[in-house]
Amino acid sequence: MTMETHLLRTFVTVARGGSFSRAARDLGYTQSAISQHIAALEQDLGTALLTRRPVAPTRAGERLLEHAGPLLTRLDAARADLARLTAAPNGRVILGLTPLSLTAEVAAAARRGTELRVLGREDVLTEVATGSLDLGLVDGMTAPSDPLPLPDFGPLTTTVVGERPLAVAVPDGHPMAGRAVRLAELADAAWIDAPDTAIPLERLRKFASTDGFRGRLRYTGTDVRGLLGLVAAGQGLALLPADVITGVSALSLSSPRVVHRTELVHGDPGEGSALAAALTGQRP
């Protein structure tokens, strides 16, 4: 079993995009070559990885996708880590941020020549690891002083930037408005599934030890104001840092003891060293 890297990359692109023709455009191959790659990988592994109509992973394909995505990211991260050793300075620093990590303090720390890119959590981590970003700010819910549970994308450094309280954004007139609530009390409420903007619902289920918190609708944007507009319209609830909740009501949490935590992630920061120091309150 050889499982060549280019075959794995083709499989991941087809499986995630759900299309052989789209994968051909993205990877610069012909559609016939894409089909040959998938056939060769299936022959190597001795099992079907994709159904063809519609194009979707089989059970074996889903399992391979769990392994292949992180493996390819680690390979790209290794290339980027080596490239940083010989990279020539260009005077530009690219900082990737999740929507909830862009605070007034972060904005004030930005240096001249810094490019800011607002991305989803996983995209920030992947692009830092693979060298598309010099620095990244990621956020999430965790117990006070606990690190964020981040995937292993290689030798990256993480440093805490700040912690702040969380609250549940609810429409004005919500029956629980004005009181502190236990998160588990809201397990059966309607929620907005906004994994890149609010705290992901899977994290709520973990901390409340319940299989509730089902999304009424899914929001894949990175606009916090847009999400709060959906809350105001009664489309569902969202767990957010208390200081970003405006235009709607907020319920404070009595349990569990959790905070919103932001961390800086980087490899060798290079020209981003001064910005990294400013973001973390350290000397460069």
Side-chain angles (χ1 to χ4, degrees), residues 17 21 42 51 53 58 70 76 79 85 96 98 103-104 141 153-154 158 171 176 195 199 211 223 238 272 284:
S21 59
E42 288 179 328
T51 59
R53 297 191 181 202
T58 62
D76 291 340
R79 292 190 185 97
L85 298 177
T98 53
T103 62
M141 176 173 72
F153 282 158
T158 59
M176 291 185 176
I199 301 301
D211 61 356
D223 180 3

Side-chain angles (χ1 to χ4, degrees), residues 5-90:
T5 302
H6 72 286
L7 301 184
L8 267 182
R9 197 175 298 278
T10 297
F11 164 71
V12 170
T13 305
V14 174
R16 289 179 174 170
S19 168
F20 280 69
S21 59
R22 186 181 305 158
R25 291 194 302 270
D26 292 346
L27 296 175
Y29 293 121
T30 64
Q31 188 167 337
S32 175
I34 294 293
S35 297
Q36 291 172 16
H37 287 183
I38 297 301
L41 186 59
E42 288 179 328
Q43 183 176 9
D44 181 26
L45 296 176
T47 186
L49 300 172
L50 295 166
T51 59
R52 269 42 176 190
R53 297 191 181 202
V55 176
T58 62
R59 184 178 180 185
E62 290 176 350
R63 186 61 58 84
L64 178 60
L65 197 58
E66 293 175 4
H67 293 285
L71 175 61
L72 292 172
T73 299
R74 286 297 300 266
L75 288 173
D76 291 340
R79 292 190 185 97
D81 201 30
L82 295 177
R84 290 188 190 104
L85 298 177
T86 57
N90 60 16

Side-chain angles (χ1 to χ4, degrees), residues 10-283:
T10 297
F11 164 71
V12 170
T13 305
V14 174
R16 289 179 174 170
S19 168
F20 280 69
S21 59
R22 186 181 305 158
R25 291 194 302 270
D26 292 346
L27 296 175
Y29 293 121
T30 64
Q31 188 167 337
S32 175
I34 294 293
S35 297
Q36 291 172 16
H37 287 183
I38 297 301
L41 186 59
E42 288 179 328
Q43 183 176 9
D44 181 26
L45 296 176
T47 186
L49 300 172
L50 295 166
T51 59
R52 269 42 176 190
R53 297 191 181 202
V55 176
T58 62
R59 184 178 180 185
E62 290 176 350
R63 186 61 58 84
L64 178 60
L65 197 58
E66 293 175 4
H67 293 285
L71 175 61
L72 292 172
T73 299
R74 286 297 300 266
L75 288 173
D76 291 340
R79 292 190 185 97
D81 201 30
L82 295 177
R84 290 188 190 104
L85 298 177
T86 57
N90 60 16
R92 185 181 67 167
V93 176
I94 306 177
L95 172 65
L97 313 98
T98 53
L100 296 178
S101 66
L102 182 51
T103 62
E105 292 78 13
V106 169
R111 298 294 200 263
R112 183 173 181 174
T114 300
E115 178 182 340
L116 304 180
R117 296 181 187 172
V118 179
L119 304 166
R121 292 179 178 90
E122 186 171 339
D123 290 335
V124 170
L125 290 167
T126 300
E127 294 198 21
V128 170
T130 57
S132 297
L133 299 173
D134 298 299
L135 307 167
L137 286 171
V138 293
D139 73 279
M141 176 173 72
T142 188
S145 301
D146 278 1
L148 294 177
L150 302 179
D152 180 10
F153 282 158
L156 298 178
T157 299
T158 59
T159 310
V160 63
V161 172
E163 292 182 351
R164 45 190 172 152
L166 285 160
V168 182
V170 300
D172 290 340
H174 190 277
M176 291 185 176
R179 48 169 290 212
V181 298
R182 292 180 294 107
L183 187 58
E185 290 182 75
L186 301 171
D188 296 327
W191 287 82
I192 299 173
D193 183 12
D196 287 328
T197 311
I199 301 301
L201 299 186
E202 63 196 41
R203 295 291 289 163
L204 274 62
R205 288 191 282 271
K206 173 179 172 58
F207 274 88
S209 301
T210 175
D211 61 356
F213 302 102
R214 299 299 168 183
R216 177 176 179 177
L217 57 79
R218 185 172 177 84
Y219 178 71
T220 56
T222 56
D223 180 3
V224 178
R225 288 187 179 182
L227 174 61
L228 289 171
L230 293 173
V231 173
Q235 294 292 347
L237 313 184
L239 186 61
L240 295 161
D243 59 355
V244 306
I245 299 176
T246 60
V248 295
S249 298
L251 309 180
S252 59
L253 292 179
S254 60
S255 71
R257 291 187 64 242
V258 290
V259 294
H260 178 267
R261 182 181 174 98
T262 300
E263 293 182 357
L264 177 70
V265 183
H266 59 81
D268 180 354
E271 293 178 85
S273 296
L275 177 56
L279 290 169
T280 56
Q282 300 174 1
R283 291 186 177 183

